[in-house]
Amino acid sequence: MKQIKVDNLSDDQVRQLVAEMKKNGIAFDDIDTYAQQKGIPDIEVSKLKERIRQMGLDKELQVKSKNKDQNDQNEDRKVDVDDQDKDDSKVAGKEPKLSKEEREKEKRRKRIFGSELFSNKNLTFEPNLRMATPPNYRLAANDELLIDVYGYSEVQHRLKVTPEGYIRIPNLGPVYVNGLTMEEAKSRISKQLATIYSGIKSGNTFVQVSLGNIRSIRVLLIGEVEKPGSYTIPSLATVANALYVSGGPNENGSFRNIQVIRNGVPVVSFDLYDFLANGDLSNNVVLQDQDIVKVNPYKTRVELTGEVKRPAIFEAKDNESLKQLIDFAGGYTDRAFTDVIRGYRVNNKEREVVNIPSSEIGTFKLKSGDQFFVDSILNRFSNRVTITGAVFHPGNYALESGMTISDLIKRADGVKEEAALSRGLIRRLQPDFTPAYINFNVQDALAGKSSVKLQKEDSVLIYSKLQLREDYEVRIDGEVNKPGYFNYGEGMHLEDLILLAGGLRDAASTQRIEVSRRIRNGVYSPEDTVKSIVKYFDINADLSANSGAKGFELMPFDEVSVRKSPAYTSQSNVSIGGEVVYPGEYTINTRSERISDLIKRTGGLRPEAYAAGAVMLRKTFINEGDSLILANKLEVFINKLQDSADIARVRQAVNRHEQLLGINLDQIMKNPGSKYDLLLEEGDVIRVPKKLQTVQLFGEVYFPKKVRYDGGYTFRDYVHGAGGFTSQALRRRSYIVYANGEVKNTKKVMFFNSYPRVKPGAEIYVPTRKERKGLSGQEGIAIASGLASVALVIVTILNTIK
């Protein structure tokens, strides 16, 4: 199989493979898994499946075949169940939608003891077709017999019983077997075969007769079942099998009075509780053709809830008491209160509560509709006292007669060293179960001087001194390896805290270590303005004892600051890229190093460099709104870069909140040290672009676009080349953003607009004029009315003056 080549297979060989797969129960969709187990390559599997499709053999493998062992003698039996027990909605793959009443009905049915047998998918009650044929099984029409003659003569026959009750043995004729058991049939068949096989009488030839395919029988299920009707089932099926295929008793069906009626006469009464409670299936008889299984309505049902192992609705017979129901429920749980069981009973007119003492459970008569509740024991202790807090063994202890606090502390192995000895508390429940507190002196209790007697449910609390004050901590920050808060300990010195903080950093100064201390337990004075005590100490670099700080001990809540040494300087790097001879990162040499010095260190500008377009990025602190504007400007700058490494650096700068600075590199190179020549700072990024040859137009022009730079063109020429200003253009607010980030606005000279000069790489922006709204008719009438009113007032005033 592993070396199979599909292209080399004939059609007959493919058919043989399909027949083998069908025999082994391999469906078409399972060919991949089957081939993987056989070690067939995937490419050959694909070819094989395509070949099977072309030959139309895939339909034969659509449904999995039955187990290959079904051809064996003990498994060659068929089960035919009528399709009427199938739910159409389930066949379609959808559960039916139930109404609210139906859901409540189904919910109640599931609470009935025993109903889970018919809803459990792992429990089918299918008849065992592989077992030996029962001795009392009697042959009938459609049964199949397997006759095996072996010894001096060998022959096998597979014969079916005819409707008249015969089997026809070749070369012998019909043999009547209807109504015979297997032993009787074997004896009769052997006797008939001996007439043609003489070796049977002499003992040289033997005959074996067994049952092959069994017949199907027709039974009728009536009464209170989920799906009553006629069912075709195997002849070995029992009452339980028939109940299962019909869905079991319905909500009103009895689980304890199920009758099998044969030829109009009840032959047995089946009680499912015998099986559920005791595993007894003695009355689970094998059904015969035309049997009727009748599920009678229940007579008495009661509900048992609470502290029982299997709360449910149980069915009771006339002679059963409450004790049998508790046994059906598996008995009480460990928490059950068994002295009295509460019951609720429906009388002719109203409901009543019934109390059943434990002594009457075995004789209490049940009535249908009764509800019984087994309560749980109280969640309290009859002799418990508790001790918690600063003792060696806190927990619950048994209350003894005359027990005092001293006795309880001894039971707990005494108090811990940090216990607060001046005061303890007893939490006690008063007669009305409201809490009360009683205080006592722990020291007196230890000495046996306390006379307070304990009561049940008393809770004794011994507090720890550490719990009665704020946690003592000290803090250190600055140039230490692990700054933060540390637990305070008595006798802690400055060097000790530095050790706890992981030691000094390389940049730490050993001089002027600052210690600030809060003012505690002072006396208030209005003239006192001091908020804290601050001291300064020098320490040794190896943290050995220093004479200045040797006698100084830290106190709780002290804060220590270790400053950076003023003579310590770490390297500061800047980056320069673009059109310089040696781009890259450089370390700032002196505090007075400027941009011009850096350009010299790079070897100067390249011939194609555009100094007027050079920009610098510098770290800054900006708010959220400015950050958005800055990001938009930087995106414009990024789009001008050619090198991917430069783009990555600039994007990192954006993430670090670095701001774009416009620098005038021409002036810097002409006048080193001038106001244009900025001092370098850590993290500065300078980029010098190539000569730019375009100008970009944005805003209120008819055709915003990028055009070639021409030194002879003015602002208006570029706008005219873009189609001119639109009717919404706000010309006097036009501006230019140069390549280095510098912005120039349009100025007003007399009554004319003076537009800025255009340079290579510039971006021209023409903003939009705000829309002016005219007055509506109502607004005009309102203004006119207002003016008329004002005029009338003025006329009135003038007349008054006259």
Side-chain angles (χ1 to χ4, degrees):
M1 289 291 290
K2 294 183 180 180
Q3 305 299 326
I4 187 173
K5 296 292 184 182
V6 177
D7 295 335
N8 299 332
L9 296 178
S10 64
D11 289 346
D12 290 338
Q13 290 174 321
V14 173
R15 291 190 183 94
Q16 290 177 4
L17 283 175
V18 172
E20 180 182 354
M21 294 178 188
K22 187 175 180 180
K23 181 179 179 182
N24 293 330
I26 307 299
F28 185 78
D29 295 334
D30 297 335
I31 291 179
D32 293 321
T33 305
Y34 176 74
Q36 185 178 7
Q37 295 173 352
K38 294 292 185 180
I40 302 175
D42 293 341
I43 187 170
E44 297 297 329
V45 175
S46 301
K47 292 180 180 179
L48 178 61
K49 293 176 71 174
E50 185 61 27
R51 187 85 173 270
I52 292 174
R53 287 195 192 95
Q54 291 175 356
M55 296 177 65
L57 301 176
D58 54 326
K59 297 178 181 178
E60 297 183 19
L61 299 176
Q62 288 300 323
V63 181
K64 289 187 176 181
S65 302
K66 294 184 180 179
N67 192 293
K68 61 181 179 179
D69 294 335
Q70 284 182 329
N71 294 324
D72 293 344
Q73 175 176 320
N74 293 330
E75 299 181 20
D76 198 10
R77 303 175 181 182
K78 295 184 290 185
V79 179
D80 296 325
V81 180
D82 209 359
D83 291 339
Q84 70 186 59
D85 66 318
K86 296 181 181 178
D87 191 326
D88 294 338
S89 62
K90 292 184 179 179
V91 172
K94 297 181 181 178
E95 291 293 335
K97 292 185 178 180
L98 303 178
S99 64
K100 184 178 179 180
E101 292 77 9
E102 290 173 333
R103 287 197 301 269
E104 290 295 328
K105 184 178 179 181
E106 180 64 21
K107 185 177 179 181
R108 177 176 173 81
R109 181 176 180 269
K110 289 182 179 179
R111 291 166 55 201
I112 299 174
F113 180 65
S115 62
E116 67 274 6
L117 287 175
F118 305 101
S119 58
N120 188 349
K121 296 180 180 179
N122 298 322
L123 185 64
T124 63
F125 275 108
E126 291 181 356
N128 186 1
L129 303 182
R130 299 183 182 182
M131 69 178 184
T133 305
N136 59 349
Y137 183 82
R138 296 189 177 275
L139 297 174
N142 292 325
D143 279 339
E144 186 180 54
L145 291 179
L146 304 178
I147 303 173
D148 187 8
V149 180
Y150 61 96
Y152 279 7
S153 301
E154 291 192 1
V155 66
Q156 292 85 29
H157 298 293
R158 183 184 290 266
L159 305 173
K160 182 175 285 190
V161 180
T162 65
E164 292 79 17
Y166 292 91
I167 58 171
R168 185 174 296 277
I169 302 175
N171 303 320
L172 183 62
V175 178
Y176 188 78
V177 295
N178 186 56
L180 301 181
T181 65
M182 290 301 298
E183 287 297 326
E184 294 170 346
K186 179 181 178 182
S187 177
R188 179 173 293 185
I189 292 171
S190 299
K191 184 177 179 180
Q192 294 292 331
L193 288 173
T195 60
I196 59 175
Y197 299 107
S198 59
I200 295 176
K201 293 181 179 180
S202 62
N204 297 324
T205 303
F206 306 93
V207 178
Q208 182 177 357
V209 179
S210 58
L211 191 63
N213 289 342
I214 64 174
R215 69 184 184 275
S216 297
I217 62 174
R218 197 81 172 177
V219 296
L220 183 64
L221 280 94
I222 62 174
E224 301 297 331
V225 292
E226 281 293 310
K227 291 175 285 185
S230 179
Y231 290 86
T232 300
I233 57 177
S235 57
L236 291 178
T238 63
V239 180
N241 304 141
L243 288 174
Y244 186 83
V245 297
S246 66
N250 60 19
E251 184 186 11
N252 296 321
S254 172
F255 282 72
R256 312 199 62 183
N257 186 14
I258 302 169
Q259 292 180 314
V260 176
I261 301 172
R262 185 171 297 161
N263 298 323
V265 179
V267 293
V268 71
S269 179
F270 181 53
D271 187 347
L272 267 173
Y273 279 23
D274 289 340
F275 168 67
L276 295 173
N278 306 313
D280 182 7
L281 286 174
S282 57
N283 285 340
N284 186 29
V285 298
V286 176
L287 297 175
Q288 296 183 11
D289 193 32
Q290 302 304 318
D291 276 355
I292 298 174
V293 179
K294 180 183 178 183
V295 179
N296 295 301
Y298 74 88
K299 290 185 178 179
T300 304
R301 268 189 191 163
V302 298
E303 185 174 4
L304 187 59
T305 58
E307 294 299 327
V308 289
K309 294 176 182 176
R310 289 193 294 264
I313 297 174
F314 296 91
E315 184 177 348
K317 291 185 176 180
D318 294 339
N319 60 343
E320 290 179 341
S321 65
L322 180 57
K323 185 180 184 306
Q324 277 78 35
L325 264 65
I326 295 176
D327 292 338
F328 289 144
Y332 300 110
T333 65
D334 297 335
R335 294 169 48 86
F337 175 69
T338 60
D339 288 354
V340 177
I341 296 178
R342 295 200 304 269
Y344 302 91
R345 173 166 288 180
V346 179
N347 288 324
N348 295 333
K349 294 183 178 180
E350 57 189 358
R351 296 169 62 90
E352 67 172 332
V353 178
V354 182
N355 294 328
I356 306 101
S358 59
S359 59
E360 299 179 7
I361 291 176
T363 58
F364 185 81
K365 296 300 181 182
L366 303 174
K367 182 179 179 182
S368 188
D370 284 352
Q371 293 177 314
F372 300 100
F373 177 75
V374 180
D375 206 347
S376 61
I377 60 174
L378 295 176
N379 189 21
R380 66 170 69 173
F381 293 84
S382 60
N383 63 337
R384 179 180 65 173
V385 288
T386 305
I387 185 169
T388 57
V391 293
F392 285 104
H393 297 287
N396 299 325
Y397 290 87
L399 176 64
E400 299 172 0
S401 178
M403 192 175 194
T404 63
I405 297 175
S406 302
D407 299 329
L408 182 58
I409 293 176
K410 289 178 182 178
R411 292 284 189 277
D413 206 12
V415 298
K416 294 182 179 179
E417 294 79 3
E418 69 271 16
L421 302 178
S422 59
R423 197 178 190 89
L425 289 176
I426 302 174
R427 184 183 184 275
R428 174 168 294 175
L429 295 178
Q430 299 184 95
D432 60 354
F433 265 66
T434 57
Y437 287 93
I438 303 171
N439 65 78
F440 65 95
N441 187 287
V442 180
Q443 187 69 50
D444 292 344
L446 293 175
K449 298 178 182 180
S450 177
S451 60
V452 179
K453 302 290 184 179
L454 294 176
Q455 300 178 8
K456 71 173 184 178
E457 294 300 314
D458 277 356
S459 179
V460 179
L461 295 86
I462 307 295
Y463 286 94
S464 169
K465 295 176 182 178
L466 303 178
Q467 295 175 333
L468 300 177
R469 62 169 172 80
E470 184 181 353
D471 292 338
Y472 284 177
E473 292 181 326
V474 290
R475 185 169 70 92
I476 185 170
D477 57 14
E479 297 300 319
V480 290
N481 290 316
K482 293 185 293 184
Y485 288 89
F486 296 88
N487 292 329
Y488 168 77
E490 190 172 347
M492 179 182 284
H493 288 76
L494 181 59
E495 292 85 355
D496 302 331
L497 181 57
I498 295 175
L499 282 175
L500 292 173
L504 300 171
R505 291 181 181 172
D506 189 55
S509 173
T510 59
Q511 299 177 347
R512 294 183 64 80
I513 306 296
E514 182 180 285
V515 180
S516 61
R517 176 170 295 172
R518 64 174 63 175
I519 299 175
R520 305 165 63 215
N521 303 323
V523 179
Y524 172 72
S525 174
E527 292 80 15
D528 191 358
T529 60
V530 178
K531 295 188 65 176
S532 62
I533 301 171
V534 180
K535 293 182 178 294
Y536 297 93
F537 299 95
D538 295 343
I539 61 173
N540 297 327
D542 60 357
L543 301 181
S544 60
N546 186 290
S547 58
K550 183 177 181 180
F552 182 79
E553 291 187 7
L554 296 176
M555 297 295 290
F557 314 113
D558 280 356
E559 296 182 357
V560 178
S561 297
V562 181
R563 311 294 184 191
K564 183 177 180 180
S565 174
Y568 189 90
T569 306
S570 58
Q571 297 91 335
S572 298
N573 296 322
V574 296
S575 175
I576 184 168
E579 300 305 315
V580 293
V581 178
Y582 296 105
E585 289 193 357
Y586 289 83
T587 301
I588 300 175
N589 290 334
T590 65
R591 290 186 176 89
S592 60
E593 189 167 6
R594 298 177 179 271
I595 296 176
S596 60
D597 301 323
L598 178 61
I599 298 296
K600 292 178 183 178
R601 291 172 63 185
T602 62
L605 302 177
R606 291 184 177 182
E608 61 271 20
Y610 181 53
V615 295
M616 173 187 281
L617 293 172
R618 174 163 289 179
K619 292 180 181 179
T620 185
F621 295 96
I622 54 179
N623 58 40
E624 186 176 355
D626 294 337
S627 176
L628 181 61
I629 298 173
L630 172 61
N632 293 334
K633 292 182 178 179
L634 287 174
E635 284 298 326
V636 175
F637 169 65
I638 289 171
N639 293 333
K640 298 179 181 179
L641 298 177
Q642 304 284 335
D643 188 7
S644 60
D646 290 344
I647 294 174
R649 287 181 180 276
V650 174
R651 290 197 181 277
Q652 291 176 359
V654 174
N655 296 332
R656 294 195 303 263
H657 297 292
E658 296 181 354
Q659 191 165 5
L660 182 66
L661 298 179
I663 59 174
N664 194 331
L665 193 55
D666 283 333
Q667 292 291 336
I668 292 172
M669 300 306 297
K670 292 177 182 177
N671 302 297
S674 64
K675 64 180 181 179
Y676 302 104
D677 196 2
L678 302 177
L679 294 172
L680 295 175
E681 294 182 5
E682 164 70 21
D684 283 350
V685 179
I686 299 175
R687 290 293 178 266
V688 182
K690 289 183 178 180
K691 291 181 179 179
L692 303 175
Q693 299 178 327
T694 60
V695 174
Q696 179 74 50
L697 289 94
F698 298 95
E700 294 298 329
V701 292
Y702 281 104
F703 296 102
K705 60 180 179 177
K706 183 179 287 187
V707 298
R708 179 179 57 82
Y709 171 76
D710 192 324
Y713 278 18
T714 64
F715 186 98
R716 283 181 171 275
D717 294 331
Y718 284 106
V719 172
H720 180 74
F725 293 108
T726 67
S727 59
Q728 299 297 320
L730 187 59
R731 303 183 184 187
R732 57 189 176 85
R733 297 297 184 187
S734 301
Y735 61 95
I736 291 181
V737 179
Y738 295 110
N740 65 347
E742 183 182 0
V743 180
K744 286 290 184 68
N745 295 323
T746 300
K747 296 181 180 178
K748 197 74 171 179
V749 179
M750 299 297 287
F751 298 102
F752 303 99
N753 293 328
S754 176
Y755 297 104
R757 178 185 172 189
V758 182
K759 298 180 181 180
E763 296 174 350
I764 298 174
Y765 291 87
V766 180
T768 303
R769 184 192 306 275
K770 290 184 179 180
E771 184 179 355
R772 293 183 179 179
K773 297 174 63 177
L775 294 177
S776 64
Q778 293 182 349
E779 290 174 339
I781 294 173
I783 292 175
S785 300
L787 293 176
S789 300
V790 172
L792 180 60
V793 171
I794 294 174
V795 170
T796 304
I797 293 173
L798 292 177
N799 292 333
T800 304
I801 294 173
K802 292 180 180 180

